[in-house]
């Protein structure tokens, strides 16, 4: 499947010319190994992939005993994998490198040796247990790989013309028209329900069958749960509790994560490691409250108030009904038939978070509670930086009558903020200086 990250890999190969390795970091089953191998096949005379998740004893011995002589080291690897390596024309891939952290540390010396290019892939790559006994190489460019975005989903469907036209409409603030908007919105609803995990997308597109995709997504969720059991040492029960509670937390009108729903008297400092584990595994996207909106949003980041979105919205759909049969999952029917439902708001906000994160934004929102002065009581779904200004974003599903929080926010922080946006399910519109964008245009923000 065509992925945008391939362009980044091409830029790395051309720019660095072997002076730096590249590390692909992403959630399990996001497509890292596939894209690494495709890149090796297409862009090099030969490539060698070493899978550290299924490392044979003979290969482990090579890494343990032959590092003092790189000529012998590569001769043995080449013979074992039956791959001929060419100086400056071959790519060596360390797949699932977190399973042998010493191999990651070796990158420093392999890059200095200079004979090949090096790519690493990994999940849970930043976990303490995977880095605590190694020196992380500075000769390593770290890039994150996310689930397929809406444009990549359309590419997989054979559509490479819709997004360029949507960008033209976005830049001109020109409505698409009822017929085209309805068609694109229908495609976007399919994307929401399928998600962006490549195996699920492939399964769905084969016969346009959501049940096939749902079966794949259940396997991925099971894999995530097994990873928690194996790798979240000492706090696996807290990680699992947070993970299982995500759908019910996002169903609420105010989607801030409330630990009291898990454990009475629970404090965020007791669960911080669990939240960080899920974020570092790229299973979730944490969104933090910026209490004083300014260009440096991180300076007012409040960790005790956060929202926790699933990294992939399709997985969220399956997670909501993880113990039920596909036929009992009402979300598929309701979303496809455009029925107003409390869960649609949950999915729309989650997919907005997913698209913003995939296109380079760290996630922030604004929340202030004031029961005595209603003018101070407000919540803005997302805050992003554009042209040295803070742009507030509200996500609305279906028909809505007002955006009171957005109005209060604009009044309170007048002079600091840039263009306000509303993401919703209808066509482009400008009203009261607020740009209303169809939810599928989140990628352009």
């Amino acid at each position: 499947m065509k992925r945008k990250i391939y362009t980044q890999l091409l830029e790395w190969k051309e720019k660095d010319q072997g002076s730096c390795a590249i590390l692909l970091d992403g959630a399990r089953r996001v497509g890292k190994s596939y894209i690494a191998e495709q890149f090796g096949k297409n862009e090099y005379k030969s490539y060698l992939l070493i899978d550290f998740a299924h490392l044979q004893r003979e290969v482990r011995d090579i890494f343990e005993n032959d590092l003092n002589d790189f000529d012998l080291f590569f001769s043995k690897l080449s013979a074992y994998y039956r791959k001929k390596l060419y100086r400056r024309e071959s790519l060596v891939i360390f797949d699932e490198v977190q399973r042998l952290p010493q191999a990651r540390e070796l990158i420093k010396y392999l890059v200095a040796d200079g004979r090949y290019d090096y790519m690493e892939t990994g999940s849970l790559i930043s976990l303490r247990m995977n880095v605590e006994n190694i020196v992380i190489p500075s000769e390593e460019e770290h890039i994150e790989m996310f689930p397929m975005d809406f444009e990549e989903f359309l590419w997989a469907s054979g559509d490479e013309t819709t997004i360029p036209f949507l960008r033209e409409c976005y830049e001109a603030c020109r409505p698409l028209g009822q017929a085209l908007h309805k068609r694109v919105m229908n495609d976007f609803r399919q994307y929401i329900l399928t998600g962006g995990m490549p195996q699920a997308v492939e399964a769905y597109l084969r016969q346009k069958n959501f049940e096939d995709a749902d079966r794949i997504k259940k396997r991925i969720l099971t894999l995530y749960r097994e990873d928690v059991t194996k790798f979240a040492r000492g706090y696996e029960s807290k990680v699992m509790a947070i993970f299982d509670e995500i759908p019910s937390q996002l169903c609420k009108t105010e989607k801030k994560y409330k630990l009291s729903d898990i454990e009475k008297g629970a404090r965020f400092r007791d669960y911080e490691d669990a939240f960080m584990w899920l974020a570092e595994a790229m299973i979730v996207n944490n969104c933090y409250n910026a209490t004083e909106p300014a260009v440096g949003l991180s300076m007012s980041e409040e960790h005790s108030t956060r929202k926790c979105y699933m990294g992939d919205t399709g997985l969220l759909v399956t997670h909501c009904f993880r113990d039920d049969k596909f036929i009992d999952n009402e979300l598929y029917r309701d979303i496809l038939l455009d029925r107003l439902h409390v869960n649609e708001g949950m999915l729309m906000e989650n997919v907005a978070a997913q698209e913003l994160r995939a296109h380079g934004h760290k996630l922030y929102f604004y929340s202030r509670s004031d029961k005595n002065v209603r003018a101070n009581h407000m919540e803005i779904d997302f805050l992003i930086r554009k042209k040295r200004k803070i742009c507030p974003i509200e996500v609305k599903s279906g028909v809505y009558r007002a955006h009171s929080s957005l109005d209060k926010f604009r009044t309170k922080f007048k002079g600091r903020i840039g263009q306000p946006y509303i993401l919703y399910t209808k066509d482009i519109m400008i009203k009261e200086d607020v740009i209303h964008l169809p939810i599928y245009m989140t990628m352009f923000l």
Side-chain angles (χ1 to χ4, degrees):
M1 291 183 177
K2 184 178 175 182
R3 301 298 301 272
K4 293 179 180 179
I5 201 168
Y6 199 97
T7 302
Q8 291 180 257
L9 298 180
L10 285 173
E11 291 172 354
W12 159 76
K13 182 177 186 289
E14 182 178 343
K15 179 184 70 174
D16 287 290
Q17 295 287 316
S19 64
C20 181
I22 194 160
L23 170 64
L24 295 184
D25 185 9
R28 298 283 296 275
R29 295 292 186 265
V30 82
K32 302 182 299 299
S33 302
Y34 173 83
I35 205 71
E37 193 162 9
Q38 288 299 307
F39 190 73
K41 284 180 181 178
N42 298 339
E43 308 301 332
Y44 291 85
K45 192 171 181 178
S46 72
Y47 75 96
L48 189 157
L49 187 147
I50 304 170
D51 182 358
F52 290 104
H54 303 94
L55 196 62
Q56 299 298 317
R57 181 69 254 177
E58 296 91 334
V59 179
R60 184 178 290 275
D61 287 343
I62 295 172
F63 274 86
E64 291 176 351
N65 301 318
D66 297 307
L67 296 181
N68 292 327
D69 185 345
F70 280 162
D71 290 334
L72 180 61
F73 175 75
F74 283 114
S75 293
K76 286 189 174 183
L77 287 177
S78 180
Y80 182 84
Y81 287 101
R82 301 180 182 179
K83 290 273 190 175
K84 187 172 182 179
L85 297 175
Y86 303 87
R87 182 174 288 272
R88 301 301 322 131
E89 294 184 274
S90 292
L91 176 69
V92 177
I93 303 168
F94 286 0
D95 195 29
E96 300 293 348
V97 70
Q98 79 281 355
R99 303 295 289 271
L100 189 69
Q102 292 76 14
R104 185 180 178 193
E105 189 174 42
L106 182 64
I107 285 293
K108 173 182 177 68
Y109 305 101
L110 294 175
V111 168
D113 176 68
R115 66 185 81 186
Y116 310 121
D117 283 355
Y118 299 93
M119 181 180 296
E120 307 160 90
T121 77
S123 305
L124 311 167
I125 201 76
S126 300
L127 292 186
R128 193 180 303 117
M129 61 180 290
N130 290 331
V131 298
E132 61 185 353
N133 295 318
I134 67 168
V135 176
I136 297 174
S138 57
E139 300 80 3
E140 179 185 83
E141 182 177 341
H142 185 170
I143 61 174
E144 293 179 315
M145 187 171 181
F146 298 96
M148 298 169 72
D149 69 7
F150 181 46
E151 184 171 17
E152 291 170 322
F153 178 81
L154 291 180
W155 288 346
S157 306
D159 179 356
E160 298 196 12
T161 60
T162 294
I163 297 299
F165 180 73
L166 294 184
R167 185 178 291 278
E168 290 178 15
C169 293
Y170 166 77
E171 291 175 351
C173 255
R174 183 180 69 240
L176 281 70
Q178 183 177 358
L180 182 55
H181 167 71
K182 185 176 180 180
R183 195 264 291 170
V184 179
M185 197 65 217
N186 182 59
D187 289 340
F188 193 71
R189 291 181 188 278
Q190 293 176 60
Y191 168 65
I192 287 174
L193 294 171
T194 306
M197 305 307 278
Q199 286 178 306
V201 173
E202 183 182 37
Y204 169 67
L205 292 177
R206 198 178 295 123
Q207 294 184 352
K208 289 295 182 80
N209 187 330
F210 285 115
E211 186 171 7
D212 292 342
D214 199 68
R215 192 178 303 114
I216 297 294
K217 289 186 289 176
K218 281 187 175 179
R219 292 177 194 163
I220 295 173
L221 290 172
T222 298
L223 180 67
Y224 288 172
R225 299 176 77 85
E226 290 171 351
D227 282 346
V228 172
T229 303
K230 286 190 291 186
F231 302 118
R233 297 175 184 171
Y235 46 92
E236 56 265 41
S237 62
K238 290 181 178 178
V239 174
M240 204 73 81
I242 292 170
F243 181 62
D244 287 342
E245 185 68 15
I246 289 173
S248 62
Q249 295 282 338
L250 292 178
C251 276
K252 299 173 182 176
T253 303
E254 290 191 353
K255 295 173 175 57
K256 296 190 293 290
Y257 204 104
K258 294 183 179 179
L259 284 177
S260 58
D261 292 341
I262 297 176
E263 179 186 357
K264 188 175 181 180
R267 296 172 295 184
F268 269 99
R269 67 184 182 186
D270 298 327
Y271 279 80
E272 188 63 38
D273 285 345
F275 277 107
M276 288 305 299
W277 192 96
L278 287 166
E280 288 177 351
M282 296 181 72
I283 294 172
V284 305
N285 290 318
N286 284 325
C287 182
Y288 297 103
N289 186 23
T291 58
E292 190 61 32
V295 175
L297 287 167
S298 60
M299 297 176 66
S300 65
E301 185 178 295
E302 183 187 27
H303 276 238
S304 60
T305 309
R306 72 183 70 188
K307 295 187 282 188
C308 187
Y309 299 103
M310 285 285 287
D312 180 72
T313 307
L315 289 180
L316 174 61
V317 171
T318 300
H319 192 27
C320 289
F321 291 83
R322 61 184 181 274
D323 297 324
D324 297 334
K325 296 179 181 178
F326 169 79
I327 198 169
D328 297 323
N329 192 330
E330 301 167 0
L331 282 180
Y332 287 94
R333 181 181 65 251
D334 290 342
I335 297 301
L336 281 175
L337 297 178
D338 195 14
R339 294 179 179 173
L340 295 182
H341 194 283
V342 64
N343 288 323
E344 181 173 273
M346 168 186 72
L347 297 179
M348 292 300 177
E349 194 168 322
N350 198 92
V351 78
Q354 180 179 340
E355 289 280 282
L356 289 171
R357 186 74 184 88
H359 291 87
H361 296 286
K362 188 174 179 181
L363 300 181
Y364 294 98
F365 70 105
Y366 179 81
S367 178
R368 182 174 178 183
S369 180
D370 192 331
K371 295 179 181 179
N372 298 321
V373 183
R374 292 298 299 172
N376 291 331
H377 186 89
M378 65 188 91
E379 182 160 332
I380 304 297
D381 295 327
F382 299 105
L383 302 175
I384 62 172
R385 287 181 294 186
K386 292 186 70 174
K387 298 179 180 178
R388 300 189 62 80
K389 292 281 189 178
I390 298 300
C391 298
I393 300 172
E394 286 268 67
V395 181
K396 304 289 186 182
S397 60
V399 179
Y400 79 97
R401 293 184 174 84
H403 40 74
S404 58
S405 282
L406 187 59
D407 294 336
K408 294 175 190 177
F409 186 85
R410 294 171 68 193
T411 300
K412 183 175 179 62
F413 297 106
K414 186 177 181 181
R416 287 196 211 177
I417 65 172
Q419 178 62 56
Y421 296 93
I422 285 180
L423 301 173
Y424 70 155
T425 57
K426 299 191 180 301
D427 206 346
I428 295 177
M429 174 180 70
I430 301 178
K431 184 178 180 181
E432 299 172 356
D433 295 324
V434 177
I435 296 180
H436 294 60
L437 295 175
I439 186 77
Y440 50 74
M441 287 190 177
T442 308
M443 68 175 72
F444 302 138
L445 291 176

